[in-house]
Amino acid sequence: DIETDPVTQASLGDSCVVLSGGDVSISATADNSAHAYSAGLSVSTGIAVGSTNALLAHDGEVSATVGDGTKVTADALRIKSNAESDFLLTSEACSGALLAGITGSYSGLDDTIEVTSALGAGSEVKVNTFELNAKNNHVFDSSSDSVTIGLGAGGAAVVENTLSSSSNALVGNNALVEAEAIIINATNKADKSKYSNQNNVNAASASAASATALSSTTTFGTDTDPFTARVAVGDGAELIAIGNYLNPARLDIASFIDINGFDKVSVEGI
């Protein structure tokens, strides 16, 4: 089993005063990758039982923040948080016996990482360009294979993936931003396609009497922990985009969720 709980933070504290003739950047980035692999083989002249599990739990936090009451005067202020996750889970179980063979194979992913970019309450920003960006990107897949041979044979292969991560771009109460370009966005992406050209779940048994079962489930968000991309501007906050005919102002506020998934299963009983 693999458990990860990384914390990546970049922050400008409360009540700071920043004067710059160039860009001011507050940036936090986490690049996480893991491969959980489990394999088991059981052989017997009587009864053989084999079971394998590949589990990965990914929690943690990535945050880039400017504190409450902070004042920034510069050409640009960019507050960016970014989490990149690349996970692969593989479990394989095989058993063979003269009388009875039983196998179980399970792969499970639980990803709840939180990404946040925030401008604090009561802060004051006067720049040409203001960017507040939060990005959460997941590339993942899981596979589970079960093979059983015996006079009586049964096998099960199960895959369960749950993503309840979040991406948040937040402007605090009573904050003031004056800029020619104001860009605020939150993005949460998930791509489950590493096994798009093969099966996620394979269950096979060969015997005089055989039974096989399989399940492959991927869930994006739960009732208590949704899969979210959220932009929130607090009470009393002012976002003032300044421009004219020759130099138009720009005000972009957006949240975006993108999910791409492939799933294939195969079951054989002889």
Side-chain angles (χ1 to χ4, degrees), residues 110-196:
D110 187 14
D111 193 342
T112 59
I113 192 167
E114 180 178 350
V115 177
T116 301
S117 292
L119 178 66
S123 54
E124 182 179 297
V125 177
K126 296 183 178 181
V127 294
N128 292 324
T129 301
F130 174 75
E131 293 185 17
L132 184 68
N133 177 275
K135 180 182 178 183
N136 207 343
N137 188 39
H138 312 267
V139 178
F140 73 99
D141 219 334
S142 303
S143 71
S144 181
D145 297 336
S146 173
V147 178
T148 312
I149 300 172
L151 183 62
V158 177
V159 165
E160 292 182 342
N161 303 305
T162 302
L163 274 74
S164 301
S165 61
S166 64
S167 180
N168 308 286
L170 311 175
V171 176
N173 296 340
N174 302 309
L176 170 64
V177 178
E178 293 182 3
E180 295 176 4
I182 299 174
I183 304 162
I184 302 172
N185 56 68
T187 303
N188 204 353
K189 293 184 178 182
D191 183 1
K192 181 186 178 297
S193 62
K194 284 178 174 286
Y195 289 128
S196 60

Side-chain angles (χ1 to χ4, degrees), residues 74-101:
D75 183 60
L77 174 61
R78 309 180 198 276
I79 307 170
K80 296 184 177 183
S81 57
N82 182 29
E84 298 286 339
S85 302
D86 189 339
F87 298 136
L88 186 65
L89 291 86
T90 305
S91 63
E92 300 173 347
C94 180
S95 68
L98 293 178
L99 295 180

